[in-house]
Protein backbone atom coordinates (compact mmCIF):
# COMPACT_ATOMS: atom_id res chain seq x y z
CA UNK A 1 0.00 0.00 0.00
CA UNK A 2 1.25 3.50 -0.73
CA UNK A 3 0.31 5.79 2.14
CA UNK A 4 0.91 9.56 2.18
CA UNK A 5 4.16 8.96 4.06
CA UNK A 6 5.37 6.06 1.89
CA UNK A 7 5.00 2.37 1.18
CA UNK A 8 3.41 0.08 3.76
CA UNK A 9 3.41 -3.70 4.26
CA UNK A 10 0.49 -5.53 5.81
CA UNK A 11 1.51 -8.10 8.39
CA UNK A 12 -0.87 -10.36 10.23
CA UNK A 13 -0.53 -12.98 12.92
CA UNK A 14 -0.59 -16.67 12.14
CA UNK A 15 -3.54 -18.43 13.74
CA UNK A 16 -1.61 -21.03 15.72
CA UNK A 17 1.75 -19.51 16.68
CA UNK A 18 0.74 -15.81 16.55
CA UNK A 19 3.95 -14.83 14.77
CA UNK A 20 3.91 -11.97 12.24
CA UNK A 21 3.53 -13.23 8.65
CA UNK A 22 2.14 -12.20 5.28
CA UNK A 23 -1.07 -13.69 3.85
CA UNK A 24 -0.33 -17.11 2.37
CA UNK A 25 -2.05 -20.41 1.77
CA UNK A 26 -1.94 -23.86 0.26
CA UNK A 27 -2.13 -24.36 -3.53
CA UNK A 28 -5.66 -24.57 -4.93
CA UNK A 29 -6.35 -26.79 -7.94
CA UNK A 30 -7.44 -24.75 -10.94
CA UNK A 31 -5.93 -21.47 -9.69
CA UNK A 32 -2.57 -19.98 -10.62
CA UNK A 33 -0.25 -19.21 -7.69
CA UNK A 34 -0.81 -15.45 -8.09
CA UNK A 35 -4.59 -16.00 -8.01
CA UNK A 36 -4.22 -18.00 -4.80
CA UNK A 37 -2.13 -15.14 -3.36
CA UNK A 38 -4.89 -12.59 -4.08
CA UNK A 39 -7.54 -14.91 -2.64
CA UNK A 40 -5.55 -15.49 0.56
CA UNK A 41 -4.96 -11.74 0.96
CA UNK A 42 -8.75 -11.27 0.84
CA UNK A 43 -9.59 -14.14 3.21
CA UNK A 44 -6.86 -13.44 5.76
CA UNK A 45 -6.67 -9.63 5.65
CA UNK A 46 -9.64 -8.26 3.70
CA UNK A 47 -7.42 -6.85 0.98
CA UNK A 48 -8.82 -6.00 -2.43
CA UNK A 49 -6.37 -5.27 -5.19
CA UNK A 50 -4.37 -6.56 -8.12
CA UNK A 51 -1.33 -8.82 -8.18
CA UNK A 52 1.61 -6.99 -9.78
CA UNK A 53 3.20 -9.11 -12.50
CA UNK A 54 2.95 -12.79 -13.28
CA UNK A 55 5.97 -13.93 -11.30
CA UNK A 56 6.72 -13.89 -7.59
CA UNK A 57 9.20 -11.35 -6.24
CA UNK A 58 10.84 -14.17 -4.32
CA UNK A 59 10.31 -17.33 -2.32
CA UNK A 60 11.31 -18.64 1.07
CA UNK A 61 10.91 -21.80 3.16
CA UNK A 62 9.48 -22.25 6.63
CA UNK A 63 8.46 -25.08 8.91
CA UNK A 64 4.65 -25.30 9.17
CA UNK A 65 3.55 -26.52 12.59
CA UNK A 66 0.57 -28.85 12.21
CA UNK A 67 -1.78 -29.93 14.98
CA UNK A 68 -1.03 -33.47 16.19
CA UNK A 69 1.32 -34.11 13.23
CA UNK A 70 4.98 -33.49 12.47
CA UNK A 71 5.97 -30.13 11.02
CA UNK A 72 6.08 -29.80 7.22
CA UNK A 73 8.66 -27.80 5.27
CA UNK A 74 6.77 -25.37 3.02
CA UNK A 75 7.92 -23.18 0.16
CA UNK A 76 6.16 -19.82 -0.09
CA UNK A 77 6.17 -17.81 -3.30
CA UNK A 78 5.70 -14.11 -2.55
CA UNK A 79 3.65 -11.95 -4.91
CA UNK A 80 3.15 -8.19 -4.68
CA UNK A 81 -0.43 -7.01 -4.33
CA UNK A 82 -1.29 -3.46 -5.32
CA UNK A 83 -3.96 -2.78 -2.69
CA UNK A 84 -7.01 -0.77 -3.69
CA UNK A 85 -8.57 -0.94 -0.23
CA UNK A 86 -9.07 -3.05 2.88
CA UNK A 87 -12.60 -4.19 3.66
CA UNK A 88 -14.29 -3.48 6.99
CA UNK A 89 -14.97 -7.19 7.48
CA UNK A 90 -13.48 -10.40 6.03
CA UNK A 91 -13.58 -14.17 6.66
CA UNK A 92 -10.63 -14.47 9.09
CA UNK A 93 -10.73 -11.03 10.76
CA UNK A 94 -11.58 -12.36 14.23
CA UNK A 95 -8.82 -14.98 14.06
CA UNK A 96 -5.85 -12.66 13.52
CA UNK A 97 -4.26 -9.36 14.47
CA UNK A 98 -2.96 -7.16 11.65
CA UNK A 99 -0.99 -3.97 11.13
CA UNK A 100 0.35 -1.79 8.33
CA UNK A 101 4.03 -0.96 8.82
CA UNK A 102 6.89 0.47 6.81
CA UNK A 103 9.05 -2.14 5.03
CA UNK A 104 12.01 -1.75 7.40
CA UNK A 105 9.83 -2.44 10.43
CA UNK A 106 8.11 -5.34 8.63
CA UNK A 107 11.47 -7.00 7.94
CA UNK A 108 12.27 -6.75 11.67
CA UNK A 109 8.91 -8.15 12.79
CA UNK A 110 8.83 -11.35 10.71
CA UNK A 111 10.67 -14.40 12.05
CA UNK A 112 11.36 -16.12 8.72
CA UNK A 113 14.73 -14.83 7.53
CA UNK A 114 13.88 -15.50 3.89
CA UNK A 115 10.74 -13.37 4.12
CA UNK A 116 12.64 -10.55 5.81
CA UNK A 117 15.16 -10.63 2.98
CA UNK A 118 12.40 -10.47 0.33
CA UNK A 119 10.83 -7.47 2.08
CA UNK A 120 14.18 -5.67 2.31
CA UNK A 121 15.04 -6.43 -1.34
CA UNK A 122 11.64 -5.80 -2.95
CA UNK A 123 10.74 -2.43 -1.50
CA UNK A 124 13.70 -0.35 -2.72
CA UNK A 125 12.79 -1.52 -6.25
CA UNK A 126 9.13 -0.61 -5.70
CA UNK A 127 10.12 2.81 -4.32
CA UNK A 128 12.09 3.51 -7.51
CA UNK A 129 9.13 2.46 -9.68
CA UNK A 130 6.71 4.62 -7.67
CA UNK A 131 9.05 7.61 -7.84
CA UNK A 132 9.40 7.25 -11.63
CA UNK A 133 5.63 6.93 -12.07
CA UNK A 134 5.02 10.00 -9.90
CA UNK A 135 7.49 12.04 -11.98
CA UNK A 136 5.71 11.03 -15.19
CA UNK A 137 2.33 12.11 -13.77
CA UNK A 138 3.46 15.62 -12.81
CA UNK A 139 2.17 18.37 -15.01
CA UNK A 140 4.61 20.82 -16.55
CA UNK A 141 4.78 24.24 -14.88
Amino acid sequence: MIAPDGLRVLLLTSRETKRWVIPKGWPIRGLKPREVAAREAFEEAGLVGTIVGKRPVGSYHYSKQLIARPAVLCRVRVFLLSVDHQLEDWPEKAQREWCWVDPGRAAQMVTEGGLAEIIRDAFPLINRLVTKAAKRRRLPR
Side-chain angles (χ1 to χ4, degrees):
M1 167 179 245
I2 302 172
D5 56 344
L7 288 167
R8 293 286 179 256
V9 177
L10 179 111
L11 295 179
L12 48 88
T13 54
S14 64
R15 289 187 288 192
E16 287 83 27
T17 62
K18 301 299 181 195
R19 70 193 192 292
W20 290 105
V21 298
I22 59 172
K24 60 185 175 300
W26 298 99
I28 299 172
R29 182 172 287 146
L31 293 181
K32 295 176 182 173
R34 66 181 184 272
E35 294 169 335
V36 174
R39 181 175 178 163
E40 292 297 327
F42 161 73
E43 291 177 359
E44 296 180 7
L47 301 181
V48 177
T50 306
I51 295 292
V52 177
K54 293 183 178 182
R55 296 198 174 131
V57 294
S59 66
Y60 68 97
H61 292 86
Y62 81 104
S63 181
K64 171 79 173 167
Q65 301 300 314
L66 301 173
I67 298 171
R69 294 195 310 184
V72 175
L73 183 63
C74 295
R75 177 178 177 235
V76 178
R77 288 182 269 184
V78 178
F79 291 86
L80 294 178
L81 179 73
S82 176
V83 177
D84 294 326
H85 62 281
Q86 185 175 27
L87 300 172
E88 292 290 322
D89 195 27
W90 58 87
E92 297 182 18
K93 185 175 184 177
Q95 300 170 29
R96 303 171 185 274
E97 294 178 41
W98 55 271
C99 62
W100 287 98
V101 294
D102 68 81
R105 179 76 179 121
Q108 293 173 346
M109 291 172 67
V110 299
T111 57
E112 286 90 5
L115 176 56
E117 186 177 337
I118 290 168
I119 292 170
R120 282 191 299 269
D121 290 349
F123 282 89
L125 170 66
I126 296 165
N127 268 325
R128 285 194 299 275
L129 293 173
V130 169
T131 302
K132 285 180 184 177
K135 286 180 182 176
R136 285 194 303 265
R137 285 194 303 259
R138 288 191 185 131
L139 296 174
R141 294 181 178 189

